[in-house]
Amino acid sequence: MPLITFRIADQACNSVPLELQNRGPIAQMSISISDGQRRSLVRTGKPAPPPVTGLALLDTGATVTCVATQAAEEAGLPTV
């Protein structure tokens, strides 16, 4: 049984080294506001934005996280 299983085009893939070689260190990720922010919006009758899902580059040496401005705005996150 593989330690990591992920989906590509609705097919399970168990060959991590091959997929890392073909696609690089990317994974499907979701970004969203915090649960506390969501509860606060719902309490005041405001709609909470849905999570935004997309591909992310995994960089274990990174010291910051960057998100595309459009994705952050769609998720209701502040932008800098």
Side-chain angles (χ1 to χ4, degrees):
M1 183 163 139
L3 294 177
I4 300 173
T5 299
F6 52 96
R7 294 196 155 296
I8 298 174
D10 293 328
Q11 295 179 336
C13 179
N14 298 321
S15 177
V16 174
L18 178 60
E19 285 309 312
L20 282 174
Q21 180 180 350
N22 290 340
R23 294 173 45 132
I26 59 173
Q28 189 84 14
M29 299 286 178
S30 292
I31 59 170
S32 66
I33 58 175
S34 69
D35 289 339
Q37 290 170 313
R38 187 172 305 284
R39 284 190 297 270
S40 179
L41 288 171
V42 170
R43 246 191 325 261
T44 59
K46 297 178 183 171
V52 174
T53 303
L55 293 177
L57 173 66
L58 305 177
D59 183 352
T60 59
T63 56
V64 297
T65 300
C66 297
V67 176
T69 302
Q70 180 181 354
E73 289 171 349
E74 288 176 19
L77 300 170
T79 59
V80 180

Coordinates of all heavy atoms in Angstrom, one line a residue:
M1 N 0.8 -1.2 0.0 CA 0.0 0.0 0.0 C 0.9 1.2 0.0 O 1.8 1.4 0.8 CB -0.9 0.0 1.2 CG -1.8 1.1 1.3 SD -3.1 0.7 2.5 CE -3.3 2.2 3.3
P2 N 0.7 2.2 -0.9 CA 1.5 3.4 -1.0 C 1.3 4.3 0.2 O 0.2 4.3 0.8 CB 1.1 4.0 -2.3 CG -0.3 3.5 -2.5 CD -0.4 2.2 -1.9
L3 N 2.3 5.0 0.6 CA 2.1 6.0 1.6 C 1.4 7.3 1.1 O 0.7 7.9 1.8 CB 3.5 6.5 2.1 CG 4.3 5.4 2.9 CD1 5.6 5.9 3.3 CD2 3.5 4.9 4.1
I4 N 1.6 7.6 -0.2 CA 0.9 8.8 -0.8 C 0.1 8.3 -2.0 O 0.7 7.7 -2.9 CB 2.0 9.8 -1.2 CG1 2.8 10.2 0.0 CG2 1.3 11.0 -1.8 CD1 3.9 11.2 -0.3
T5 N -1.1 8.7 -2.0 CA -1.9 8.5 -3.2 C -2.6 9.8 -3.5 O -3.1 10.5 -2.7 CB -3.0 7.4 -2.9 OG1 -2.4 6.2 -2.6 CG2 -3.9 7.2 -4.1
F6 N -2.5 10.2 -4.8 CA -3.2 11.4 -5.2 C -3.9 11.2 -6.5 O -3.7 10.2 -7.1 CB -2.2 12.6 -5.2 CG -0.9 12.3 -6.1 CD1 -0.9 12.7 -7.4 CD2 0.1 11.7 -5.5 CE1 0.3 12.4 -8.1 CE2 1.3 11.4 -6.2 CZ 1.3 11.8 -7.5
R7 N -4.7 12.2 -6.9 CA -5.5 12.0 -8.1 C -5.1 12.9 -9.2 O -4.8 14.1 -8.9 CB -7.0 12.2 -7.8 CG -7.6 11.2 -6.9 CD -9.1 11.3 -6.9 NE -9.8 10.1 -6.6 CZ -9.7 8.9 -7.2 NH1 -8.9 8.8 -8.2 NH2 -10.4 7.9 -6.8
I8 N -5.0 12.4 -10.4 CA -4.7 13.2 -11.5 C -5.7 12.9 -12.6 O -5.8 11.7 -13.0 CB -3.3 13.0 -12.1 CG1 -2.2 13.4 -11.0 CG2 -3.0 13.7 -13.4 CD1 -0.8 13.0 -11.4
A9 N -6.5 13.8 -13.0 CA -7.6 13.6 -14.0 C -8.5 12.4 -13.6 O -8.7 11.5 -14.4 CB -7.0 13.4 -15.3
D10 N -8.9 12.4 -12.3 CA -9.8 11.4 -11.8 C -9.2 10.0 -11.8 O -9.9 9.0 -11.8 CB -11.1 11.4 -12.5 CG -11.9 12.7 -12.2 OD1 -11.7 13.2 -11.1 OD2 -12.6 13.1 -13.1
Q11 N -7.9 9.8 -11.8 CA -7.3 8.5 -11.8 C -6.3 8.5 -10.6 O -5.5 9.4 -10.5 CB -6.5 8.2 -13.1 CG -7.4 8.1 -14.3 CD -6.6 7.8 -15.5 OE1 -5.4 8.1 -15.6 NE2 -7.3 7.2 -16.5
A12 N -6.4 7.5 -9.7 CA -5.5 7.4 -8.6 C -4.1 7.1 -9.2 O -3.9 6.4 -10.1 CB -5.9 6.3 -7.7
C13 N -3.1 7.8 -8.6 CA -1.7 7.6 -9.0 C -0.9 7.2 -7.8 O -0.9 7.9 -6.8 CB -1.2 8.8 -9.6 SG 0.5 8.6 -10.1
N14 N -0.2 6.1 -7.8 CA 0.6 5.6 -6.7 C 2.1 5.7 -6.9 O 2.9 5.4 -6.1 CB 0.2 4.2 -6.4 CG -1.2 4.0 -6.0 OD1 -1.7 4.9 -5.3 ND2 -1.9 3.0 -6.4
S15 N 2.5 6.2 -8.1 CA 3.9 6.3 -8.4 C 4.4 7.7 -8.1 O 4.5 8.6 -9.0 CB 4.1 5.9 -9.9 OG 5.5 6.1 -10.2
V16 N 4.7 8.0 -6.9 CA 5.2 9.4 -6.5 C 6.4 9.8 -7.3 O 6.4 10.9 -7.8 CB 5.3 9.5 -5.0 CG1 5.9 10.8 -4.6 CG2 4.0 9.2 -4.3
P17 N 7.5 9.0 -7.3 CA 8.7 9.5 -8.0 C 8.4 9.9 -9.5 O 8.9 10.9 -9.9 CB 9.7 8.3 -7.9 CG 9.2 7.6 -6.7 CD 7.7 7.7 -6.7
L18 N 7.6 9.1 -10.2 CA 7.3 9.4 -11.6 C 6.6 10.6 -11.7 O 6.8 11.5 -12.5 CB 6.6 8.2 -12.2 CG 6.2 8.4 -13.7 CD1 7.4 8.6 -14.5 CD2 5.4 7.2 -14.1
E19 N 5.6 10.8 -10.8 CA 4.8 12.1 -10.9 C 5.6 13.3 -10.5 O 5.4 14.4 -11.0 CB 3.5 11.9 -10.0 CG 2.5 11.1 -10.7 CD 2.1 11.4 -12.1 OE1 1.9 12.6 -12.4 OE2 2.1 10.6 -13.0
L20 N 6.5 13.2 -9.5 CA 7.3 14.3 -9.2 C 8.2 14.7 -10.3 O 8.4 15.8 -10.6 CB 8.2 14.0 -7.9 CG 7.5 14.0 -6.6 CD1 8.4 13.5 -5.5 CD2 7.0 15.5 -6.3
Q21 N 8.7 13.7 -11.0 CA 9.5 13.9 -12.2 C 8.7 14.6 -13.3 O 9.2 15.5 -14.0 CB 10.1 12.6 -12.7 CG 11.0 12.8 -13.9 CD 11.6 11.5 -14.4 OE1 11.5 10.4 -13.7 NE2 12.2 11.5 -15.6
N22 N 7.5 14.1 -13.6 CA 6.7 14.6 -14.6 C 6.1 16.0 -14.3 O 6.0 16.9 -15.2 CB 5.6 13.7 -15.0 CG 6.1 12.4 -15.6 OD1 7.2 12.4 -16.2 ND2 5.3 11.4 -15.6
R23 N 5.6 16.2 -13.1 CA 4.8 17.4 -12.8 C 5.6 18.4 -11.8 O 5.2 19.5 -11.7 CB 3.5 17.0 -12.1 CG 2.6 16.3 -13.0 CD 1.4 15.8 -12.3 NE 0.8 16.8 -11.4 CZ -0.4 17.1 -11.3 NH1 -1.3 16.5 -12.1 NH2 -0.8 18.0 -10.5
G24 N 6.6 17.9 -11.1 CA 7.2 18.7 -10.1 C 6.5 18.6 -8.8 O 5.4 17.9 -8.7
P25 N 7.0 19.3 -7.8 CA 6.4 19.2 -6.5 C 5.1 20.1 -6.3 O 5.2 21.1 -5.7 CB 7.5 19.6 -5.5 CG 8.3 20.6 -6.3 CD 8.2 20.1 -7.8
I26 N 4.0 19.7 -7.0 CA 2.8 20.5 -6.9 C 1.7 19.6 -6.3 O 1.7 18.4 -6.4 CB 2.4 21.0 -8.3 CG1 2.2 19.9 -9.3 CG2 3.4 22.1 -8.8 CD1 1.6 20.4 -10.6
A27 N 0.7 20.2 -5.7 CA -0.4 19.5 -5.2 C -1.7 20.4 -5.2 O -1.6 21.6 -5.3 CB -0.1 19.1 -3.7
Q28 N -2.8 19.8 -5.2 CA -4.1 20.5 -5.2 C -4.2 21.0 -3.8 O -4.1 20.3 -2.8 CB -5.2 19.5 -5.5 CG -6.5 20.2 -5.7 CD -6.7 20.7 -7.1 OE1 -6.0 20.4 -8.0 NE2 -7.7 21.6 -7.3
M29 N -4.5 22.3 -3.6 CA -4.7 23.0 -2.3 C -5.9 23.8 -2.3 O -6.4 24.2 -3.4 CB -3.5 23.9 -2.0 CG -2.2 23.2 -2.0 SD -2.1 22.3 -0.4 CE -0.5 21.5 -0.6
S30 N -6.4 24.1 -1.2 CA -7.5 25.0 -1.0 C -7.1 26.1 0.0 O -6.4 25.8 1.0 CB -8.8 24.3 -0.4 OG -9.3 23.4 -1.4
I31 N -7.6 27.3 -0.3 CA -7.4 28.4 0.7 C -8.7 29.0 1.0 O -9.6 29.0 0.2 CB -6.4 29.5 0.1 CG1 -7.0 30.1 -1.2 CG2 -5.0 29.0 -0.1 CD1 -6.3 31.4 -1.7
S32 N -8.8 29.5 2.3 CA -10.1 30.0 2.7 C -9.9 30.9 4.0 O -8.8 30.9 4.5 CB -11.1 28.9 3.1 OG -10.6 28.2 4.2
I33 N -10.9 31.6 4.3 CA -10.9 32.4 5.5 C -10.9 31.4 6.7 O -11.2 30.2 6.5 CB -12.0 33.4 5.6 CG1 -13.4 32.7 5.6 CG2 -11.9 34.5 4.5 CD1 -14.6 33.6 5.8
S34 N -10.5 31.9 7.9 CA -10.5 31.0 9.1 C -11.9 30.6 9.5 O -12.9 31.3 9.1 CB -9.8 31.7 10.2 OG -10.6 32.8 10.7
D35 N -12.1 29.6 10.3 CA -13.4 29.2 10.8 C -14.0 30.3 11.6 O -15.2 30.6 11.6 CB -13.2 27.9 11.7 CG -13.0 26.7 10.8 OD1 -13.2 26.7 9.6 OD2 -12.5 25.7 11.4
G36 N -13.1 31.0 12.4 CA -13.6 32.2 13.2 C -14.2 33.3 12.4 O -15.2 33.9 12.7
Q37 N -13.5 33.6 11.3 CA -14.0 34.6 10.4 C -15.3 34.2 9.7 O -16.2 35.0 9.6 CB -12.9 34.9 9.3 CG -11.7 35.6 9.8 CD -10.6 35.7 8.7 OE1 -10.3 34.7 8.1 NE2 -10.0 36.8 8.6
R38 N -15.4 32.9 9.3 CA -16.6 32.4 8.7 C -17.8 32.5 9.7 O -18.9 33.0 9.3 CB -16.4 30.9 8.3 CG -17.5 30.4 7.5 CD -17.2 29.0 6.9 NE -16.0 29.0 6.1 CZ -15.9 29.5 4.9 NH1 -16.9 30.0 4.3 NH2 -14.7 29.4 4.2
R39 N -17.6 32.1 11.0 CA -18.6 32.2 12.0 C -19.1 33.6 12.2 O -20.3 33.9 12.3 CB -18.2 31.6 13.3 CG -18.2 30.0 13.3 CD -17.9 29.5 14.7 NE -16.6 29.8 15.2 CZ -15.5 29.1 15.1 NH1 -15.5 28.0 14.4 NH2 -14.4 29.5 15.6
S40 N -18.1 34.5 12.2 CA -18.4 35.9 12.4 C -19.3 36.5 11.3 O -20.3 37.2 11.5 CB -17.1 36.8 12.5 OG -17.4 38.1 12.7
L41 N -18.9 36.1 10.0 CA -19.7 36.6 8.9 C -21.2 36.0 9.0 O -22.1 36.7 8.7 CB -19.1 36.2 7.6 CG -17.8 37.0 7.2 CD1 -17.1 36.3 6.0 CD2 -18.1 38.4 6.9
V42 N -21.2 34.7 9.2 CA -22.6 34.1 9.3 C -23.4 34.7 10.4 O -24.6 34.9 10.2 CB -22.4 32.6 9.5 CG1 -23.7 31.9 9.8 CG2 -21.8 31.9 8.3
R43 N -22.8 35.0 11.6 CA -23.5 35.6 12.7 C -24.1 36.9 12.3 O -25.2 37.3 12.8 CB -22.6 35.8 13.9 CG -22.9 35.0 15.1 CD -22.1 35.4 16.3 NE -20.8 35.8 16.1 CZ -19.7 35.1 16.2 NH1 -19.8 33.9 16.6 NH2 -18.5 35.6 16.0
T44 N -23.4 37.7 11.5 CA -23.9 39.0 11.1 C -24.7 39.0 9.8 O -25.1 40.0 9.3 CB -22.7 40.0 10.9 OG1 -21.8 39.5 9.9 CG2 -22.0 40.2 12.2
G45 N -25.0 37.8 9.3 CA -25.9 37.7 8.1 C -25.2 37.9 6.8 O -25.8 38.1 5.8
K46 N -23.8 38.0 6.8 CA -23.1 38.2 5.6 C -22.7 36.9 5.0 O -22.4 35.9 5.7 CB -21.8 39.1 5.9 CG -22.2 40.4 6.4 CD -20.9 41.2 6.7 CE -21.3 42.6 7.2 NZ -20.2 43.3 7.8
P47 N -22.6 36.8 3.7 CA -22.2 35.5 3.1 C -20.7 35.3 3.3 O -19.9 36.2 3.2 CB -22.5 35.7 1.6 CG -22.5 37.2 1.4 CD -22.9 37.8 2.7
A48 N -20.3 34.0 3.5 CA -18.9 33.7 3.6 C -18.4 33.2 2.3 O -19.1 32.4 1.7 CB -18.7 32.6 4.7
P49 N -17.3 33.7 1.8 CA -16.8 33.2 0.5 C -16.4 31.7 0.6 O -15.9 31.3 1.6 CB -15.6 34.1 0.3 CG -15.2 34.6 1.6 CD -16.4 34.6 2.5
P50 N -16.6 31.0 -0.5 CA -16.2 29.6 -0.5 C -14.7 29.5 -0.6 O -14.0 30.4 -1.1 CB -16.9 29.1 -1.8 CG -17.0 30.3 -2.7 CD -17.2 31.4 -1.8
P51 N -14.1 28.4 -0.3 CA -12.7 28.1 -0.5 C -12.4 28.2 -1.9 O -13.2 27.9 -2.8 CB -12.5 26.7 0.1 CG -13.7 26.4 1.0 CD -14.8 27.2 0.4
V52 N -11.1 28.5 -2.2 CA -10.6 28.6 -3.6 C -9.6 27.4 -3.7 O -8.7 27.3 -2.9 CB -10.0 29.9 -4.0 CG1 -9.3 29.9 -5.3 CG2 -11.0 31.0 -3.9
T53 N -9.8 26.6 -4.7 CA -8.9 25.4 -4.9 C -8.1 25.6 -6.2 O -8.6 26.2 -7.2 CB -9.8 24.2 -5.1 OG1 -10.6 24.0 -3.9 CG2 -8.9 22.9 -5.2
G54 N -6.9 25.2 -6.1 CA -6.0 25.2 -7.3 C -4.7 24.5 -7.0 O -4.5 23.9 -6.0
L55 N -3.8 24.5 -8.0 CA -2.5 23.8 -7.9 C -1.5 24.7 -7.1 O -1.5 25.9 -7.4 CB -2.0 23.4 -9.2 CG -2.7 22.4 -10.0 CD1 -2.1 22.1 -11.3 CD2 -2.8 21.1 -9.2
A56 N -0.7 24.1 -6.3 CA 0.3 24.9 -5.5 C 1.6 24.3 -5.7 O 1.7 23.0 -5.7 CB -0.1 25.0 -4.0
L57 N 2.6 25.1 -5.7 CA 4.0 24.6 -5.8 C 4.5 24.4 -4.3 O 4.4 25.3 -3.5 CB 4.9 25.6 -6.5 CG 6.4 25.4 -6.4 CD1 6.8 24.1 -7.2 CD2 7.2 26.5 -7.0
L58 N 5.0 23.2 -4.0 CA 5.5 22.9 -2.7 C 6.9 23.3 -2.6 O 7.7 22.7 -3.3 CB 5.2 21.5 -2.3 CG 3.8 21.0 -2.5 CD1 3.7 19.5 -2.2 CD2 2.9 21.8 -1.6
D59 N 7.3 24.2 -1.7 CA 8.7 24.6 -1.5 C 9.1 24.5 -0.1 O 8.7 25.3 0.7 CB 8.9 26.0 -2.1 CG 10.3 26.5 -2.0 OD1 11.2 25.7 -1.4 OD2 10.6 27.6 -2.5
T60 N 9.7 23.4 0.3 CA 10.0 23.2 1.7 C 11.1 24.1 2.3 O 11.2 24.3 3.5 CB 10.5 21.7 1.9 OG1 11.7 21.5 1.1 CG2 9.5 20.7 1.5
G61 N 11.7 24.9 1.4 CA 12.7 25.8 1.9 C 12.2 27.3 1.9 O 12.9 28.2 2.2
A62 N 10.9 27.5 1.6 CA 10.4 28.8 1.5 C 10.2 29.4 2.9 O 10.0 28.7 3.9 CB 9.0 28.8 0.8
T63 N 10.4 30.7 3.0 CA 10.2 31.4 4.3 C 8.9 32.2 4.3 O 8.5 32.7 5.3 CB 11.3 32.3 4.6 OG1 11.5 33.2 3.6 CG2 12.6 31.5 4.8
V64 N 8.2 32.3 3.2 CA 6.9 33.0 3.1 C 6.0 32.1 2.1 O 6.5 31.3 1.4 CB 7.0 34.4 2.5 CG1 7.8 35.3 3.4 CG2 7.6 34.4 1.1
T65 N 4.7 32.4 2.2 CA 3.8 31.8 1.3 C 3.1 32.8 0.4 O 2.7 33.9 0.9 CB 2.6 31.1 2.2 OG1 3.2 30.1 3.0 CG2 1.6 30.4 1.2
C66 N 3.1 32.6 -0.8 CA 2.5 33.5 -1.8 C 1.3 32.9 -2.4 O 1.3 31.7 -2.8 CB 3.5 33.9 -2.9 SG 5.0 34.7 -2.2
V67 N 0.3 33.7 -2.6 CA -1.0 33.3 -3.3 C -1.3 34.3 -4.3 O -1.1 35.5 -4.1 CB -2.1 33.2 -2.2 CG1 -3.4 32.9 -2.9 CG2 -1.8 32.2 -1.1
A68 N -1.8 33.9 -5.5 CA -2.2 34.9 -6.5 C -3.2 35.8 -6.0 O -4.1 35.4 -5.2 CB -2.7 34.1 -7.7
T69 N -3.1 37.1 -6.3 CA -4.0 38.1 -5.8 C -5.5 37.7 -6.1 O -6.3 37.8 -5.2 CB -3.7 39.5 -6.4 OG1 -2.3 39.8 -6.1 CG2 -4.6 40.6 -5.9
Q70 N -5.8 37.3 -7.3 CA -7.1 37.0 -7.7 C -7.7 35.8 -6.8 O -8.8 35.9 -6.3 CB -7.2 36.5 -9.1 CG -8.6 36.2 -9.6 CD -8.7 35.7 -11.0 OE1 -7.7 35.8 -11.8 NE2 -9.8 35.3 -11.4
A71 N -6.8 34.8 -6.5 CA -7.3 33.7 -5.6 C -7.6 34.2 -4.2 O -8.6 33.8 -3.6 CB -6.3 32.6 -5.6
A72 N -6.7 35.0 -3.7 CA -6.9 35.6 -2.4 C -8.2 36.4 -2.3 O -8.9 36.3 -1.3 CB -5.7 36.4 -1.9
E73 N -8.4 37.2 -3.3 CA -9.6 38.0 -3.3 C -10.9 37.2 -3.4 O -11.8 37.4 -2.7 CB -9.5 39.1 -4.4 CG -8.5 40.2 -4.2 CD -8.3 41.0 -5.4 OE1 -8.8 40.7 -6.5 OE2 -7.6 42.1 -5.3
E74 N -10.8 36.2 -4.2 CA -12.0 35.3 -4.3 C -12.3 34.5 -3.0 O -13.4 34.3 -2.7 CB -11.8 34.2 -5.4 CG -11.8 34.8 -6.8 CD -11.5 33.8 -7.9 OE1 -11.6 32.6 -7.6 OE2 -11.2 34.2 -9.0
A75 N -11.2 34.2 -2.3 CA -11.4 33.5 -1.0 C -11.7 34.5 0.2 O -12.0 34.0 1.3 CB -10.1 32.7 -0.7
G76 N -11.7 35.8 -0.1 CA -12.0 36.7 0.9 C -10.9 37.0 1.9 O -11.0 37.5 3.0
L77 N -9.7 36.7 1.4 CA -8.5 37.0 2.2 C -7.9 38.4 1.9 O -8.0 38.9 0.8 CB -7.4 35.9 1.9 CG -7.8 34.5 2.2 CD1 -6.8 33.5 1.6 CD2 -8.0 34.3 3.7
P78 N -7.2 39.0 2.9 CA -6.6 40.3 2.6 C -5.4 40.1 1.7 O -4.8 39.1 1.7 CB -6.2 40.7 4.0 CG -6.0 39.5 4.8 CD -7.0 38.5 4.2
T79 N -5.2 41.1 0.9 CA -4.0 41.1 0.0 C -3.1 42.2 0.3 O -3.5 43.2 0.9 CB -4.5 41.3 -1.5 OG1 -5.2 42.5 -1.6 CG2 -5.3 40.1 -2.0
V80 N -1.8 42.0 0.0 CA -0.8 43.0 0.3 C -0.3 43.6 -1.0 O -0.1 43.0 -1.9 CB 0.3 42.4 1.1 CG1 1.4 43.4 1.5 CG2 -0.2 41.8 2.4

